[in-house]
Amino acid sequence: MSTERDLNYRLFLHKNNGFERTSINLEYERYADIREGRVEQVRKNLELIKMNYLAGKGDLSDDPVRNIRYHVIIAAALIARTCINGGMSHDEAYTLSDIYIQRADVCNEIETLIDLLEEMNIYFAERMKNIKKVHAVSIHVRKCINYIYDNLNEKLTSNELAKVIGLNETYFSRLFHNETGQTINEFVHAAKIGVAEDLLKYSDFSYAEIALSLGFSSQSAFITLFKKIKGITPKKYRDLFGR
């Protein structure tokens, strides 16, 4: 069947069946909520969408599960690009998209796919909310935060970071604390543990490998800090949340 003939046939069916696609402006508004980090609004949008997820959406497969899976994959790709436009790094956005697409690929139930879609929307929105907070600070602190995330495998100290930024250590430490509400060391530790959480959830890396990749002096140092911040050991965390 030619594409032209197939197109005309499907448009004819849509018209006869009274099918109307979701307004593109409404889609833009929903993606904008994610991009701007409006987490509560994203939750409200999802409650409405989940009542009839396929309303206004095309049929991408005759298989119901595969049809939903394709829509989730498309959403992952679009949300990633929307968040890049909002300030998320392309590497972070595309990696998150890859993670959710890979998860969708192994889901075999419609309910599980819808839950995954909900998790993805909220997670992206929360990340964007944090990014918006970071962008509200001065160029010096922003530069420092970018440097921290680009060099989490290193041992990062306030003295070394102040040198990178080109400011007096005492002055910069005070500036950083005033603008983020955290000391430089607290921020570095939280950033490392945040990445460690993802590695514990979604990878099979050993605790020693995670410690090494995040610049800890030893596995025990990593475990001690993780327990201090999260309240449980890395092993317990992986047992509870690992996939």
Side-chain angles (χ1 to χ4, degrees), residues 208-221:
E209 288 172 326
I210 294 174
L212 180 63
S213 69
L214 291 174
F216 287 94
S217 58
S218 65
Q219 177 178 321
S220 61

Side-chain angles (χ1 to χ4, degrees), residues 20-220:
E20 292 186 13
R21 292 188 183 275
T22 302
S23 161
I24 192 168
N25 289 330
L26 179 57
E27 286 191 345
Y28 282 152
E29 287 175 10
R30 288 171 176 169
Y31 286 129
D33 287 332
I34 297 173
R35 184 190 66 226
E36 298 305 315
R38 295 191 280 262
V39 178
E40 290 310 310
Q41 185 58 50
V42 171
R43 292 184 192 276
K44 292 177 182 178
N45 294 343
L46 288 164
E47 287 303 313
L48 294 174
I49 293 170
K50 287 169 65 179
M51 291 179 185
N52 187 2
Y53 177 67
L54 288 177
K57 292 180 172 62
D59 293 327
L60 305 182
S61 173
D62 292 332
D63 180 271
V65 174
R66 190 177 296 122
N67 184 39
I68 299 290
R69 183 184 296 128
Y70 288 158
H71 280 294
V72 172
I73 289 171
I74 290 169
L78 291 174
I79 290 171
R81 285 154 180 79
T82 298
C83 289
I84 290 171
N85 289 335
M88 184 179 288
S89 75
H90 74 279
D91 188 42
E92 179 179 348
Y94 286 139
T95 301
L96 277 174
S97 175
D98 292 345
I99 288 170
Y100 281 109
I101 289 173
Q102 288 169 7
R103 290 190 201 165
D105 189 48
V106 297
C107 285
N108 295 310
E109 296 180 0
I110 290 176
E111 294 78 7
T112 306
L113 284 162
I114 298 299
D115 288 344
L116 180 66
L117 176 80
E118 181 176 25
E119 178 192 325
M120 175 176 67
N121 277 256
I122 293 172
Y123 190 81
F124 266 102
E126 288 175 340
R127 300 287 288 193
M128 290 305 301
K129 183 178 181 179
N130 290 332
I131 287 171
K132 296 299 178 183
K133 287 180 181 178
V134 169
H135 285 182
V137 301
S138 69
I139 188 171
H140 296 299
V141 173
R142 226 168 32 236
K143 182 179 178 182
C144 178
I145 290 172
N146 288 337
Y147 185 87
I148 289 170
Y149 278 107
D150 286 341
N151 296 274
L152 284 176
N153 60 316
E154 303 292 336
K155 184 177 179 181
L156 302 167
T157 66
S158 58
N159 181 50
E160 291 167 344
L161 290 168
K163 288 179 180 177
V164 169
I165 305 306
L167 293 176
N168 172 270
E169 180 184 357
T170 302
Y171 169 77
F172 182 61
S173 294
R174 185 165 60 248
L175 175 67
F176 191 97
H177 185 268
N178 288 342
E179 294 193 10
T180 67
Q182 294 177 290
T183 67
I184 292 175
N185 283 340
E186 287 172 342
F187 189 95
V188 169
H189 290 164
K192 287 178 182 282
I193 296 306
V195 173
E197 286 182 78
D198 287 340
L199 292 174
L200 290 167
K201 284 181 182 177
Y202 309 124
S203 81
D204 296 323
F205 292 138
S206 68
Y207 308 124
E209 288 172 326
I210 294 174
L212 180 63
S213 69
L214 291 174
F216 287 94
S217 58
S218 65
Q219 177 178 321
S220 61

